């Protein structure tokens, strides 16, 4: 979309950046500088425009953070949706968290606001897997249990919270296998 420039007699001037470029730059800044470093000025500098120009596309920092969270959640959902089993899904979640830790924390923050529609869509992969493990009556509880365990483990891992040594890969595999077995073994078989 071009904007009208009054200095050229009303002739349109090309836009220098797109919303996608702004969001992509903001996601990179989030990883490099954290949420505090994600400012309209830092994004403007990254995309090569003056900060006021960003307001043609984004209403302010709160909207920018929301857009970053939504883009992150969409990417995360695509990646975990490829998993057909609980371990596949959990491993995709963990891999994403290691690649984009700031974005991972952002989407799991209680302060982050995204649309309910996106929340529901992003929950579909874990609900599908949980349904297969626990059955329809306990799918939501199983999904929450798996998500809470994985998020807790990943959060501690990213924060350097495992201080007793040992093999974290083994601990991850051990915990995940035991949790999946427990959910599967407590599932009530459907009655006929």
């Amino acid at each position: 979309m071009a904007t009208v420039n009054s200095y050229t007699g009303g002739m349109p001037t090309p836009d220098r950046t797109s919303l996608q470029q702004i969001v992509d730059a903001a996601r990179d800044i989030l990883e490099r500088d954290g949420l505090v470093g994600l400012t309209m000025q830092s994004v403007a500098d990254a995309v090569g425009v003056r900060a006021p120009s960003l307001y043609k596309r984004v209403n302010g920092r709160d909207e920018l953070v929301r857009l970053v969270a939504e883009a992150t959640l969409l990417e995360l959902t695509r990646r975990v949706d490829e998993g057909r089993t609980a371990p596949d899904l959990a491993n995709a979640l963990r891999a994403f968290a290691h690649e984009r830790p700031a974005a991972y924390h952002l989407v799991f923050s209680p302060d982050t606001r995204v649309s309910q529609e996106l929340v529901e869509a992003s929950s579909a992969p874990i609900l599908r897997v949980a349904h297969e493990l626990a059955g329809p009556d306990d799918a939501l509880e199983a999904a929450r249990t798996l998500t809470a365990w994985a998020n807790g483990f990943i959060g501690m891992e990213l924060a350097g919270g495992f201080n007793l040594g040992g093999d974290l890969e083994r601990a991850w595999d051990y915990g995940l296998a035991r949790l999946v077995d427990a959910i599967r073994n407590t599932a009530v078989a459907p009655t006929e």
Side-chain angles (χ1 to χ4, degrees):
M1 170 195 281
T3 56
V4 175
N5 184 338
S6 61
Y7 297 111
T8 59
M11 296 293 294
T13 58
D15 290 324
R16 292 186 170 181
T17 190
S18 68
L19 182 59
Q20 187 62 53
Q21 290 170 320
I22 291 167
V23 172
D24 289 346
R27 291 182 73 196
D28 291 342
I29 291 165
L30 175 65
E31 290 306 323
R32 185 186 68 226
D33 301 332
L35 192 55
V36 172
L38 179 56
T39 65
M40 296 297 277
Q41 185 62 56
S42 66
V43 173
D45 291 345
V47 297
V49 299
R50 293 183 32 214
S53 297
L54 293 181
Y55 290 91
K56 294 175 186 175
R57 305 264 188 255
V58 181
N59 289 329
R61 184 176 183 274
D62 288 344
E63 183 179 357
L64 179 63
V65 171
R66 181 186 57 77
L67 291 169
V68 167
E70 288 179 353
T72 299
L73 199 51
L74 286 169
E75 178 187 351
L76 179 57
T77 302
R78 277 192 304 274
R79 290 177 62 176
V80 299
D81 195 37
E82 294 172 6
R84 295 294 164 222
T85 66
D88 291 343
L89 191 141
N91 287 330
L93 180 68
R94 186 174 179 221
F96 181 86
H98 282 272
E99 290 169 25
R100 299 190 73 84
Y104 175 82
H105 286 302
L106 179 65
V107 297
F108 279 99
S109 168
D111 298 329
T112 301
R113 302 286 179 239
V114 296
S115 73
Q116 185 62 29
E117 179 180 309
L118 185 54
V119 169
E120 290 173 13
S122 69
S123 300
I126 186 66
L127 286 168
R128 179 190 70 239
V129 168
H131 181 273
E132 292 170 12
L133 281 176
D137 293 339
D138 295 328
L140 181 58
E141 289 76 13
R144 287 177 171 159
T145 301
L146 285 164
T147 302
W149 177 83
N151 193 35
F153 189 103
I154 293 166
M156 286 185 66
E157 184 177 27
L158 292 176
F162 293 116
N163 298 313
L164 298 177
D167 184 345
L168 288 184
E169 295 303 317
R170 183 171 181 262
W172 171 263
D173 293 341
Y174 175 90
L176 185 55
R178 296 312 177 277
L179 184 59
V180 168
D181 286 345
I183 292 170
R184 185 179 292 122
N185 291 333
T186 58
V188 177
T191 58
E192 295 185 42

